[in-house]
Amino acid sequence: MDKRQKVWRLWELTNAEENVSRFIQMTWQAEWSAMPEVAEDIREVTGFDIANKPFEIFSVREMLELMLPIMEAGLTEEELDGLIAIYESPLGRVLV
């Protein structure tokens, strides 16, 4: 397994797609609800309802793809192997 595949395996084990999706939905809605007039202006000009459609711009998978080089640069293969081993273990599955 190459480094890229190891990052995806780690994300799979930690439910990264689901967790990123929930986080973005919560923060996106909070941000845009604090500025309804800006969201309304964008909707009027573009027809795009930015306040309610965070994944119309990028899918969660696309966002993770953009983060992939950061993960690859920030973790060694040994660190990835260790994290994968932890999250594949019974204790690791409980932690998730």
Side-chain angles (χ1 to χ4, degrees), residues 12-86:
E12 177 185 298
L13 291 167
T14 58
N15 298 320
E17 286 189 64
E18 180 183 331
N19 292 329
V20 167
S21 177
R22 279 199 315 256
F23 174 78
I24 289 171
Q25 287 173 344
M26 289 185 313
T27 56
W28 190 273
Q29 300 252 327
E31 289 294 321
W32 287 108
S33 66
M35 328 181 262
E37 63 284 344
V38 175
E40 181 59 25
D41 289 346
I42 291 170
R43 191 191 59 70
E44 286 178 9
V45 171
T46 67
F48 184 70
D49 185 11
I50 195 165
N52 295 311
K53 297 184 179 181
F55 303 115
E56 296 278 323
I57 299 168
F58 290 107
S59 70
V60 173
R61 185 129 185 123
E62 289 169 324
M63 289 179 209
L64 290 173
E65 282 287 342
L66 293 170
M67 294 168 47
L68 191 64
I70 298 166
M71 293 291 289
E72 287 178 307
L75 295 168
T76 66
E77 292 231 18
E78 294 76 25
E79 290 167 332
L80 284 166
D81 290 339
L83 288 167
I84 289 168
I86 289 168

Side-chain angles (χ1 to χ4, degrees), residues 1 5-14 84 88:
M1 188 179 326
Q5 291 169 319
K6 289 179 183 182
V7 171
W8 277 109
R9 177 66 180 143
L10 178 62
W11 283 342
E12 177 185 298
L13 291 167
T14 58
I84 289 168
E88 284 181 333

